[in-house]
Amino acid sequence: YFPMSTDDQLRFPDGFLWGAATAAYQIEGGADAEGKGPSIWDTFSHTPGKVFHGDNGDVACDSFHRYGEDIALLKRLGVGSYRLSLSWPRIQPTGRGEVNAKGLDYYNRVIDGLVEAGIEPSVTLYHWDLPQALQDAGGWANRDIADWFGEFAAIAGEAFGDRVSRWITLNEPWVVAHVGYRDGRHAPGIQDPALAVAANHHLLLAHGNAVSALRASSAAPVGITLNLTVERPVTPEAAAHAAVLEARQNGVYLDPIFHGRYPELLDGDASFSPAAAGHVRDGDFEIIGAPLDFLGVNFYAPHYVGMLHADGEPRRGETVTGPDTVSIQPDGLPITAMNWLVEPGSIRELLTRIVAPVTGALPVYITENGSSWHDYVTQDGQVNDLERIAYLRGHLAAVHGAIADGVPVKGYFAWSLLDNFEWAEGYAKRFGLVYVDFATQERLLKRSGEVYASIVAANALPKA
Ligand code: PNW
């Protein structure tokens, strides 16, 4: 145990890294500015029926022009680091060869501005905006993408590796493969389990190649960000089902990276295990298992799983998810605007039960955590987002608990710095510590932003 608690506050370890996070397509705009090529999200968001309200990221938060204001806001929060992502087609318009110098210039301006402000750049190479030209060549379903991504990583490492404080190769490969290629709610909008399971393996190979490429050009620590799931069975019979769900989302990434294999639980399931689907070649696990300096974890909400009643009828709060299984919204837990449960203890369970047994002493960063609510500006010009404050405090207390359990959590990045383009939900779902009026691009620190700034300044969470 470490000396971090007093009667009135939970102290975080000295040097704990506080941050805020965004992603390129969600904030930049400048969709075809200065030589940028189209990404799959440009294509997808301009396809009718794909994104709520027909929204797109053409302008978003206009951070392509307003990054200086964003950096000023980060200074107001007092954070030690900003997690941003690079738009691959801004740097390589077709994803291969030819580098767009003006794209590099943009990120040089942002990174230099951060360093100048004393804020460490934590840079994600890939947060979902694949160059459309690569999708036209098969995207993540084509094994060649491992080499394409390695090349992009080398370009980024050489251009920015002297000033970036930590690298994240991929953001949430499970969402890329599962939501992009299996259920199709995200770009490229494909619904094909065979392509999804191929994408799973190729994402991991690409990650491994990127680790090697970054090592060659930058001394900064390298990791990957996974969105791991906590599946809570509500009855003993549902436990086996919960274990399969965790293997399909957590195991298929954690096991190859840290244990050199795909989960045994999925052996024989060719629609979820890349091994069963025949994608693994000699040497693949050596590439995928390239040693890392940290694991990034994104977490928002747990899931509750149960068995379908014998009469086949879902009860109130139940959604049928398989021939004999349901997902459950339990009574008594708050629900965010995303319809995600609020259950802070689940992030401690994730870190202690799922992450630490796999990663051991490896540093862990929470690279995203946050919540969406129906924020509005009051007549006196404030956003009184009390639910977001409660969510933040609850989850930070639980992260503190995981540290007390012995999990080496080294930092926490709030999602998000800004209200932004929330993928298939468009601008309707706000996650920011800063409110954005998308008509004027005016930014306004929410009350949660003020609270976060005081937590960051104290390196502690007041108990009351
Ligand atoms: C994560 N899903 O997204 C992302 O990393 C962020 O870009 C995003 O804004 C944030 O969480 C909030 O949603 C997800 O539909 C988006 O399963 C959608 C899903 C999962 C993660």
Side-chain angles (χ1 to χ4, degrees), residues 26 127-128 171-172 185 300 340 368 415 422-423 431:
Q26 295 182 271
H127 200 130
W128 306 356
N171 179 69
E172 302 189 348
R185 285 181 298 120
Y300 292 89
W340 295 351
E368 286 179 25
W415 184 272
E422 179 48 38
W423 307 114
F431 275 89

Side-chain angles (χ1 to χ4, degrees), residues 175-264:
V175 173
V176 176
H178 180 90
V179 187
Y181 288 79
R182 189 183 301 272
D183 75 24
R185 285 181 298 120
H186 281 184
I190 291 168
Q191 296 182 324
D192 185 337
L195 296 186
V197 78
N200 181 332
H201 191 63
H202 302 152
L203 282 153
L204 284 165
L205 285 173
H207 155 76
N209 281 347
V211 174
S212 308
L214 291 169
R215 298 280 185 221
S217 52
S218 174
V222 180
I224 186 172
T225 281
L226 303 178
N227 63 310
L228 300 174
T229 190
V230 171
E231 301 289 335
R232 292 184 162 169
V234 301
T235 62
E237 306 79 70
H241 179 54
V244 169
L245 293 177
E246 288 186 354
R248 286 177 183 177
Q249 184 166 336
N250 304 342
V252 290
Y253 294 97
L254 287 173
D255 288 4
I257 291 171
F258 294 103
H259 301 315
R261 57 170 168 75
Y262 282 102
E264 271 168 41

Side-chain angles (χ1 to χ4, degrees), residues 80 101 242 253 274 281 344 358 378 390 402:
Y253 294 97
R281 298 187 192 165
V358 175
T378 58

Side-chain angles (χ1 to χ4, degrees), residues 70 88 107 109 111 132 165 223 252 254 296 300 317 325 361 422:
D70 298 346
W88 186 349
Y107 293 110
R109 291 194 289 277
I111 290 169
Q132 180 61 44
S165 292
V252 290
L254 287 173
Y300 292 89
T325 57
E422 179 48 38

Side-chain angles (χ1 to χ4, degrees), residues 96 184 366 376 396 459:
R96 280 179 275 188
I366 301 300
Y376 58 93
L396 287 176
N459 195 36

